[in-house]
Amino acid sequence: MIAILLGPPGAGKGTQAKRLAQKMQALHLSSGDLLRAEKAAGTELGKQAAGYMDRGELVPDSLIIEMMVGKMTQAKSILLDGFPRTLAQAEALDVGLTKHGLKIHRIINIDVPDVEVERRMTGRRSCAACGAVYHVDFAPPKTAGKCDKDGLDLVQRNDDKPEVVRKRLITYHQQTQPLVDYYSKHGLLKDVDGTQSPEKVETKVEAALA
Ligand code: AMP
């Protein structure tokens, strides 16, 4: 089974994909996580991607397609999170899957309005040392600005800064939202309201995947 989680940045695609991948014994493939790992490891791809990511822009299709399409044969069940994000990527994915006799089984569009996305993303803080993630409103640390686990300073991810979040939303509407139409035509797309609690969204995504 290959399923795609679509939706704006901050919709909870990563959270849902992680939870469901465990439950369904599926491979969670997040293009954002893979790019962040490349960046942290200082690879050539990481260096090429860094500027785009920090500005809230998409990394060029050629780099992403090469990184992602080859991974489609890595597991029987795959949850795609953050890929595809452009029509060119969706088309390249279709071609790559067909070549291996594979196909997409379901596309879940997690719907969250822009104002909620901005609130979720700009409030996010994390500990640079241990990676623990907090939110100034929804999951605040015991002491403002400090990690509960090690007491170190919390930082805001560069791409969670307000001006970058706004840019990421513009990018989403221009380049990724057209995929909703593209996949609606496949008849495989289901919409899920992503504004509820992660548990409720999970139940709905799971039902939509069945
Ligand atoms: P994410 O964690 O999925 O929100 O991705 C973080 C950043 O990585 C995005 O803002 C883009 O700069 C880049 N990125 C992730 N996935 C893709 C993709 N499929 N196409 C182009 N850029 C991507």
Side-chain angles (χ1 to χ4, degrees):
M1 183 217 60
I2 296 176
I4 298 173
L5 297 183
L6 271 185
K13 300 185 298 292
T15 305
Q16 294 302 329
K18 269 191 203 96
R19 288 169 175 244
L20 290 163
Q22 236 178 8
K23 241 190 213 175
M24 300 162 51
Q25 300 194 323
L27 175 66
H28 169 204
L29 278 181
S30 155
S31 47
D33 285 352
L34 290 169
L35 286 173
R36 279 184 285 277
E38 297 278 346
K39 214 174 136 185
T43 64
E44 194 47 43
L45 170 57
K47 283 183 200 150
Q48 283 179 306
Y52 298 99
M53 295 171 78
D54 290 344
R55 289 191 298 273
E57 295 168 10
L58 293 186
V59 172
D61 285 332
S62 54
L63 298 179
I64 293 290
I65 289 167
E66 197 184 320
M67 179 180 85
M68 295 300 290
V69 173
K71 299 199 191 309
M72 296 306 129
T73 52
Q74 283 189 347
K76 282 218 170 71
S77 290
I78 295 180
L79 284 173
L80 283 172
D81 151 24
F83 176 84
R85 243 175 165 108
T86 64
L87 282 172
Q89 292 178 20
E91 284 162 4
L93 177 63
D94 283 343
V95 170
L97 290 176
T98 306
K99 216 189 304 180
H100 290 103
L102 299 167
K103 60 185 178 67
I104 298 163
H105 293 83
R106 179 69 73 214
I107 297 117
I108 312 288
N109 182 38
I110 305 182
D111 203 18
V112 176
D114 287 6
V115 21
E116 176 66 11
V117 166
E118 288 191 42
R119 188 159 168 234
R120 287 183 184 184
M121 295 179 80
T122 57
R124 198 151 60 180
R125 301 288 181 275
S126 57
C127 174
C130 74
V133 181
Y134 301 86
H135 190 283
V136 293
D137 298 323
F138 310 134
K142 290 192 187 96
T143 308
K146 302 282 178 200
C147 179
D148 289 351
K149 293 183 185 156
D150 49 32
L152 296 174
D153 284 346
L154 298 180
V155 293
Q156 187 175 38
R157 238 170 71 177
N158 224 2
D159 56 356
D160 284 342
K161 302 235 158 91
E163 63 281 11
V164 182
V165 169
R166 275 192 289 277
K167 173 73 186 155
R168 292 179 75 189
L169 277 167
I170 292 170
T171 304
Y172 167 75
H173 289 298
Q174 285 176 343
Q175 302 196 58
T176 307
Q177 212 170 17
L179 291 185
V180 173
D181 260 359
Y182 177 83
Y183 283 127
S184 294
K185 288 184 193 130
H186 281 52
L188 301 170
L189 187 122
K190 288 197 180 174
D191 287 307
V192 165
D193 173 5
T195 59
Q196 292 169 314
S197 69
E199 292 72 26
K200 284 195 176 138
V201 176
E202 184 181 348
T203 307
K204 288 190 179 160
V205 172
E206 219 176 342
L209 280 173

